[in-house]
Amino acid sequence: MVMPPDEPKFDDLYKELILDHYRYPHNRGVLEKPDVDMQQHNPVCGDKIRLTAIIKDGAISQIEFLGQGCAISQASASMLTDRVKGLNLGDVDKLSINFRDMLKGGKPDEQLMQDLMSLQGVSKYPIRIKCAVLAWDTLQEALGLK
Amino acid sequence: MKEMSVRNDFPIMERLIHDKPLTYLDSAATSQKPAVVIDALADFYRNNNANVHRGIYTLSEESTLAYETTRDKVAKFIKAGSERNIIFTRNTTESLNLVAYSWGREHIKPGDEILITPMEHHSNIVPWMILCNEMGSIIKYIPLDDDGTLDLSNLDELISEKTKIVSLTHMSNVLGTINPIKEIIAKANKVSALSVVDGAQGAPHLPVDVVDLDVDLYAFSAHKMLGPTGVGVLYGKDEVLSSMRPFLGGGEMIDEVYEDRFTWKEAPLKFEAGTPNFADVAAFGVAIDYLENIGMHNVRKHEIDITNYAMEQVKKIDQSIKIFGPENLDIRGGVLAFDFPGVHPHDVAQMMDWDGIQIRAGHHCAQPLMRRLGVSATARASFYIYNNEEDVDRFVDSLKKGGEYFGDASR
Ligand SMILES: Cc1ncc(COP(=O)(O)O)c(C=O)c1O
């Protein structure tokens, strides 16, 4: 009989912080005259994220998101906007790599991750990883990183 | 609600999921299997295994007999005239692709119309699109009303001399809608269009009589009706099957092969190239016996009762919950897809999993329908003979909890 490798708990996935961001998202909206405006969706589950951002002197000065989807995808987008605001593009890239690595089970840099640490539990749910990275994929595409 | 006393026949019902008893509510995707079917498969491999239609020896004769006996049982199960009309495939999807290929490539011309509905599973959309891309034919849709039933008011205009194929589902795997297929098939027959029914949700849950329906082709999957995976059925009328070209080429389907040409067998073998899935087909015969023993009218009655109870209970949870599909249980099967505003289907399904409840979340392979309903995904519970009121109660309790946990989202 095939059993799951270990028994993750419900709260590992849906941390209080995630639910807060889901219920009361930060930086929700669409910026006027954005430098970048990018939308992506997950064809499998229909989750959608649109990001608009203003880039000044090689750094993200403003960023907002609109989206539709599950708690994980929407909370991840909300946290992303909080975390990348003010960062230069090089740091965003570093953060994005570290974040993806964490979701694949890698050891995250806690100082770098900050609140994003709350999404670490997603790594135990392979089919939900795509929910958590959707906003990051959108950002990377918007910024021409990759 | 009278409980069906069959639950104990299904060994998986003993299973614990996250230390909770299993509540299996995804039978529209695939059904669980009774012990007799599981045992039949192992027994076949232990005692009778040999390739079919080939050897002049005892094992091969037994194996061929098991394979052909199931064909006979399938024919009787859907009241087909003869076992000649029953083709074994891998699943509904392959059956429908077979039709699109073997009938479509033979008969379809540019500008011909193929009529389907907005509630089709991708397997009854994409094969027609592939055919249209190749042959220059056109797909049209019978419109869908907001109550989840087909709008047949313009059917006489929709089905015209240009219509060459009318293909629709017997029962929707999302809305639960049971379509008035007999009426639609009659209209298709009048203009000599090919009538095709996707019976993936029909054969497992409803009494089916293909002769009474007068349908040209009817497709379904064993795995959704207590049988093993890897077996599908395509029923076809004699004259329809003989007007179709072979599907795959190879062993079994040929009559004679020369250096430069070949001739093929009559249906059904014409469409069964290569070694068939005879072991699973043998076990499928046992699944059919099992269903016949219960009686399809009793299966249907049980599903009406449990769906009725589930709809009542879900409505009590929160007024904002929208249940898709018709209210009238005379035209609704045991499928309950719903939208709970603020509570995303994936989160509900994940949360229910911790309570041992297995429901489906997503687009259910029906993206055009999701768009028509204005949602990107839905959560869906679906029922079969082994489900009881207790399953519904656990589902409803968990859904309530989900509302409290995720609800209140400020959108
Ligand atoms: C209505 C309907 N049609 C077709 C299918 C496809 O069945 P299969 O995957 O067995 O080919 C399904 C099953 O998901 C279904 O519900």
Side-chain angles (χ1 to χ4, degrees), chain B residues 28-29 90-94 96 119-121 123-124 169 171-173 198-201 221 223-224 364-365 380:
Chain B
R90 277 190 308 139
N91 47 36
T92 306
T93 304
E94 187 173 283
L96 293 169
M119 67 170 85
E120 298 311 313
H121 187 279
S123 61
N124 197 22
T169 188
M171 170 181 143
S172 163
N173 64 318
D198 168 356
Q201 302 295 339
S221 297
H223 72 92
K224 291 182 199 284
H364 317 295
C365 297
R380 177 190 74 188

Side-chain angles (χ1 to χ4, degrees), chain A residues 1 3 7-11 13-14 19 22-25 28 43-47 67-71 74 125 128, chain B residues 15-19 342-344 346-348 350-352 354 362-363 367 376-377 404-411:
Chain A
M1 185 159 39
M3 299 294 279
E7 280 279 304
K9 288 203 297 291
F10 190 59
D11 306 355
L13 185 59
Y14 295 107
L19 290 173
Y22 175 58
R23 294 194 190 107
Y24 311 105
R28 194 173 162 76
V44 181
C45 59
D47 289 356
Q68 245 180 48
C70 66
Q74 302 305 301
Y125 298 85
R128 304 303 297 274
Chain B
R15 172 82 205 262
L16 299 179
I17 306 278
H18 304 296
D19 297 326
V343 187
H344 193 275
H346 285 163
D347 296 322
V348 177
Q350 188 95 59
M351 155 133 203
M352 287 202 176
W354 266 284
H363 55 55
Q367 287 178 9
S376 58
E404 286 155 17
Y405 202 83
F406 294 106
D408 255 355
S410 60
R411 68 198 73 188

Side-chain angles (χ1 to χ4, degrees), chain B residues 283-295:
Chain B
F284 180 36
V286 176
I288 291 182
D289 291 342
Y290 186 93
L291 281 174
E292 293 272 27
N293 206 15
I294 292 173

Side-chain angles (χ1 to χ4, degrees), chain B residues 269-344:
Chain B
L269 293 185
K270 170 180 168 184
F271 302 104
E272 294 182 3
T275 296
N277 187 357
F278 52 79
D280 287 304
V281 166
F284 180 36
V286 176
I288 291 182
D289 291 342
Y290 186 93
L291 281 174
E292 293 272 27
N293 206 15
I294 292 173
M296 290 309 289
H297 284 97
N298 293 324
V299 171
R300 171 76 181 122
K301 195 176 165 323
H302 173 73
E303 288 177 16
I304 290 176
D305 288 348
I306 197 161
T307 310
N308 184 29
Y309 179 69
M311 285 170 74
E312 274 172 8
Q313 297 304 309
V314 168
K315 280 182 202 151
K316 281 189 206 153
I317 298 174
D318 192 312
Q319 291 204 326
S320 71
I321 297 180
K322 176 170 172 43
I323 297 175
F324 296 106
E327 289 274 324
N328 176 1
L329 286 155
D330 292 337
I331 53 162
R332 183 188 183 111
V335 171
L336 203 160
F338 58 94
D339 182 41
F340 196 165
V343 187
H344 193 275

Side-chain angles (χ1 to χ4, degrees), chain B residues 145-191:
Chain B
D145 267 337
D146 288 335
D147 66 356
T149 61
L150 294 174
D151 170 3
L152 300 180
S153 53
N154 289 324
L155 195 60
D156 286 327
E157 278 110 86
L158 278 169
I159 299 186
S160 71
E161 293 299 320
K162 284 194 204 145
T163 312
K164 289 288 136 57
I165 300 174
V166 177
S167 187
L168 81 164
T169 188
H170 197 165
M171 170 181 143
S172 163
N173 64 318
V174 179
L175 303 168
T177 313
I178 298 167
N179 287 315
I181 52 172
K182 191 170 170 179
E183 179 186 341
I184 297 170
I185 292 163
K187 297 242 154 107
N189 287 346
K190 238 192 209 149
V191 298

